[in-house]
Amino acid sequence: MSPISSRHIETASLTDVGRVRSANQDTYGEFRNDFGYRLLVVADGMGGHSGGETASRLALETIGQVFKAGFDDPAAMLQQAFRAANRKVHSVGSADPELHGMGTTGVAILIGPSDRAWIAHIGDSRAYRMRDGHLDQVTDDHSWVSEEVRHQRITADEAKSHPMKNVLLRSIGVAPEVEVALAALDIQPGDRFMACSDGLWGEVEDQPIGEILGVEEPGRAVQRLVDLANENGGSDNVTVQVALVGESDEATLETDVEPSTEPNPPLSRSEESRPSFWRGPAAAFAVGLVIAALFWRACA
């Protein structure tokens, strides 16, 4: 990779424990290199206090290490980074009984020096793009309720209060291997990207998120969004990262990468979650998942 002209990118990040949880299992990081790439990462851990914190930290550190090692293909780098993070979290969790079953979500936004950004994610931490006053969610949650909504078996409103709303179909570290969802997007000066944990989107609707992103500079935006999540209940840890895309002197073309859709074992994301069980297709085992979730909550 040869040095190329960079794009001005203004970023800000903020995390908060919220108003209910006693520990913050969210982790975030910002990375940059000498070739004009900027990487934002949010990881939302699960598996109890130490498990969740450890899983999200290990995932972030591993993704950052792969990014810093250098790359020629941004999409391939993200694929490698998330798979390496999965192996690391799974290995540590398998070796330590106190951490067994820990996992984390992960979402990464890689903004290039030209006209492309790349998104990688596993779980239900999200990425959004704000352009010309329109806010678009550019990731699809790997959760049971999201899958049911996509198949029109439940409504979006029903999903918000569904007893299985915290069950993930894909996560980092629970299984030895995981499929990474990837996408490539065009970028324009003035675009605003946001990565966040479900502590934001679970408390704040898209409309107020868009209203804040559309008018505030990144530092002010992340503070207002975290404050609003807490004002609306603060039932979970909340982490927000915002990047404002500026001008670039040079543009190059990259090939789009189709998102992956193959699910992995579901996992409850509650703060007191325990090691998840292997499941088949989510719809076929819905009753079993509910029973398992209730059992683990009873034992918490």
Side-chain angles (χ1 to χ4, degrees), residues 24 38-39 64 70 80 104 114 119 129 146 159 195 247 264:
N24 193 344
R38 185 76 62 90
L39 178 67
Q80 177 187 357
T104 183
S114 54
I119 312 295
R129 181 179 64 184
S146 293
E247 297 288 344
N264 271 271

Side-chain angles (χ1 to χ4, degrees), residues 25 43-48 50-57 59 85-86 89-90 93 99-106 168 170-175 267-269 273-276:
Q25 299 181 66
D44 180 358
M46 54 205 134
S50 62
E53 293 172 6
T54 301
S56 62
R57 174 181 56 81
N86 185 76
V89 174
H90 185 263
L99 300 177
H100 183 69
M102 70 176 179
T104 183
T105 69
L168 296 183
R170 209 182 303 187
S171 58
I172 296 172
V174 175
L267 181 69
S268 172
R269 298 191 59 266
S273 62
R274 296 294 188 264
S276 64

Side-chain angles (χ1 to χ4, degrees), residues 65-167:
Q65 289 166 2
V66 174
F67 171 80
K68 293 175 182 178
F71 56 91
D72 293 316
D73 184 333
M77 181 276 294
L78 288 174
Q79 181 93 259
Q80 177 187 357
F82 272 66
R83 288 181 172 174
N86 185 76
R87 290 192 298 271
K88 181 67 173 180
V89 174
H90 185 263
S91 175
V92 172
S94 298
D96 188 340
E98 294 186 359
L99 300 177
H100 183 69
M102 70 176 179
T104 183
T105 69
V107 61
I109 302 173
L110 177 64
I111 301 176
S114 54
D115 64 349
R116 277 289 187 269
W118 294 263
I119 312 295
H121 87 288
I122 296 172
D124 64 355
S125 290
R126 292 179 177 179
Y128 293 80
R129 181 179 64 184
M130 183 94 183
R131 174 180 289 178
D132 298 330
H134 299 285
L135 181 69
D136 294 311
Q137 181 183 335
V138 294
T139 55
D140 292 323
D141 298 342
H142 300 139
S143 66
W144 189 90
V145 293
S146 293
E147 191 70 12
E148 293 299 288
V149 170
R150 280 192 285 272
H151 287 89
Q152 299 182 339
R153 290 190 281 260
I154 63 174
T155 67
D157 286 338
E158 289 172 337
K160 295 176 183 178
S161 58
H162 199 282
M164 293 177 65
K165 67 179 181 179
N166 290 325
V167 175

Side-chain angles (χ1 to χ4, degrees), residues 7-21:
R7 176 187 294 278
H8 177 73
I9 303 169
E10 182 181 354
T11 64
S13 302
L14 187 64
T15 189
D16 189 83
V17 69
R19 294 188 171 182
V20 174
R21 302 295 175 88

